[in-house]
Amino acid sequence: MELNRRTLLAGAAAAGVTAALSSTAHATGGNRPVKSLFGKLADGTKVYRWSLENGGTRLKVLSYGGIVQSLEIPDRRGRYTNVSLGFDNIEDYVSSSPYFGALIGRYGNRIGKGRFTLDGETYQLSVNDGENSLHGGAKGFDKVVWDVEPFTRGSDVGLHLHYTSVDGEMGYPGTLRTKVTYTLTRHGDWRIDYEATTDKATVVNLTNHVYWNLAGESSGTIYDHELSIAGSRYTPVDSGLIPTGELAKVAGTPFDFRRTKAVGEDIRVPHQQLLYGKGIDHNWVLDKGGTDRPQWVATLRDPSSGRTLKIATTEPGLQFYSGNFLDGTLVGTGGSVYRQGDGLCLETQHFPDSPNHPSFPSTTLRPGQTYRTTTVHSFSA
């Protein structure tokens, strides 16, 4: 089963829906993005930071990895803080980052044993997570320098990010031409539109890996954040965090977020899936499935500040990761050490290991097709 027409056309059908989705932020006009030097890689390549502001949201993005280095929103009293985990220097992003804020590709999440078969040919990918391939391999899209083009469009501002992944890079077939658009709308929404084309049959699953802490990136754990996810099933995993193929019901498990509850409410329950992940690191099967237009799938709220994040997407899945592997060895932008649970990820996606599970929504992309997906993040307090 391959990417269906609904998925391939999602970006086009989704154009213009952000304004309809957004009713939570003050509408203002934004200024053109501002470029500044952030640092240099070991080979001398310059890494730039782009600063955007619109509708009450402030966003800073690096050309390295398409990384969201900072995202600031106000609380109920109008006080701004950065709600995304990250670093204040390029060296830490290169040497130590657990994908803070990064664009993920070619394939977000895990592929079992780093191997899949397509059209009768087996491909061996870069293995970088035990025996598995994670987030595109040892040098995924999070570790390359993207070409960045700023834009203003009406009352919106944003960045077009371009990267061409050559045939065979990290073991993937086909030359993949990727364009990702970050838009800050006049309502303060952060919208991501993903596009990709290939010259050879391949698999693709793009996402973004922001670690959220709506109380502020150096404020402690997210266990008191309140979360709801519109998903009645999830994909259980084995000890290597590879899906078993089952679409299990969340009812009666710690994975039931159909009603809003605190992230930490059930995170210490002795459930085998939580033991495998050292917390939550699982894909939700969204009730809506893959859709032409972004639909609301998750809401995250920090009771202390009132800050609220709502996520709408065209994707069929959502990976909820509760920051289980933050181990106190990383110092963030606010000068504090990040420990387990100090941030969480809500990654819109197709399912992990889909190339090895024909029953999962397909991630196959062929020449002549265009991969398109859209995710919208809306903020309020």
Side-chain angles (χ1 to χ4, degrees), residues 75-151:
D75 65 8
R76 62 168 65 92
R77 298 181 181 178
R79 297 174 299 189
Y80 277 83
T81 195
N82 174 22
V83 297
S84 65
L85 275 56
F87 300 117
D88 63 5
N89 63 88
I90 189 59
E91 292 78 15
D92 283 346
Y93 279 111
V94 172
S95 65
S96 307
S97 182
Y99 306 98
F100 283 151
L103 277 178
I104 302 298
R106 285 188 190 189
Y107 198 96
N109 221 304
R110 295 173 174 85
I111 293 181
K113 295 182 172 55
R115 191 181 306 132
F116 69 92
T117 300
L118 180 60
D119 295 340
E121 185 169 352
T122 298
Y123 296 93
Q124 180 61 56
L125 308 175
S126 166
V127 171
N128 62 328
D129 182 50
E131 64 179 2
N132 305 315
S133 183
L134 174 65
H135 293 332
K139 189 177 181 181
F141 288 3
D142 61 295
K143 296 179 180 66
V144 303
V145 175
W146 292 67
D147 293 326
V148 182
E149 176 189 357
F151 69 87

Side-chain angles (χ1 to χ4, degrees), residues 103-109 111 116 123 125 133-137 139-142 146 163-178 196-207 363 365 371:
L103 277 178
I104 302 298
R106 285 188 190 189
Y107 198 96
N109 221 304
I111 293 181
F116 69 92
Y123 296 93
L125 308 175
S133 183
L134 174 65
H135 293 332
K139 189 177 181 181
F141 288 3
D142 61 295
W146 292 67
Y163 178 68
T164 298
S165 175
V166 299
D167 183 24
E169 186 171 271
M170 296 295 104
Y172 287 90
T175 295
L176 191 77
R177 301 184 184 278
T178 306
T197 59
T198 184
D199 62 1
K200 183 179 180 180
T202 191
V203 296
V204 60
N205 186 28
L206 306 179
T207 189
T363 54
L365 181 69
Y371 169 97

Side-chain angles (χ1 to χ4, degrees), residues 161-230:
L161 298 98
H162 300 267
Y163 178 68
T164 298
S165 175
V166 299
D167 183 24
E169 186 171 271
M170 296 295 104
Y172 287 90
T175 295
L176 191 77
R177 301 184 184 278
T178 306
K179 175 184 177 182
V180 179
T181 300
Y182 289 167
T183 303
L184 278 188
T185 76
R186 66 188 183 92
H187 299 281
D189 293 349
W190 173 40
R191 173 178 171 137
I192 312 177
D193 292 286
Y194 303 90
E195 298 180 26
T197 59
T198 184
D199 62 1
K200 183 179 180 180
T202 191
V203 296
V204 60
N205 186 28
L206 306 179
T207 189
N208 186 278
H209 210 290
V210 167
Y211 284 68
W212 301 101
N213 187 322
L214 298 182
E217 61 80 33
S218 59
S219 63
T221 78
I222 43 72
Y223 294 147
D224 62 346
H225 280 37
E226 298 167 346
L227 176 65
S228 64
I229 301 175

